Amino acid sequence: MSYKSVKEVVALLIKNGFELKSQRGSHLKYEKNGLMVIVPNHGKKGIEKGTYYNILRQAGLK
């Protein structure tokens, strides 16, 4: 069971000024002011709770 959908996480990053830099396979790279955040996109599987909180930590968000 996923915690958040990939769309929700991507929307949160874009809302906070991150831009899509590249994509390799199923991983999306977002960047803002030198901060790089990688978001896994494994289809309908979604993002697990621990991964979600690590993405927020890397992005400097709460």
Side-chain angles (χ1 to χ4, degrees), residues 1-3 7 10 12-14 16 25 30 32 34 37-38 40 42 45 50 52 54 56-57 60-61:
M1 185 102 179
S2 66
Y3 185 71
K7 285 183 180 183
V10 167
L12 178 68
L13 290 174
I14 291 172
N16 284 285
Y30 284 87
K32 172 186 168 185
V37 179
I38 298 176
H42 299 290
K45 192 174 179 183
Y52 173 70
N54 277 327
L56 292 182
R57 181 181 53 78
L61 305 173

Side-chain angles (χ1 to χ4, degrees), residues 33-52:
N33 300 331
L35 289 175
M36 185 71 68
V37 179
I38 298 176
V39 179
N41 183 8
H42 299 290
K44 294 183 180 181
K45 192 174 179 183
I47 296 178
E48 296 295 325
K49 185 176 184 178
T51 305
Y52 173 70

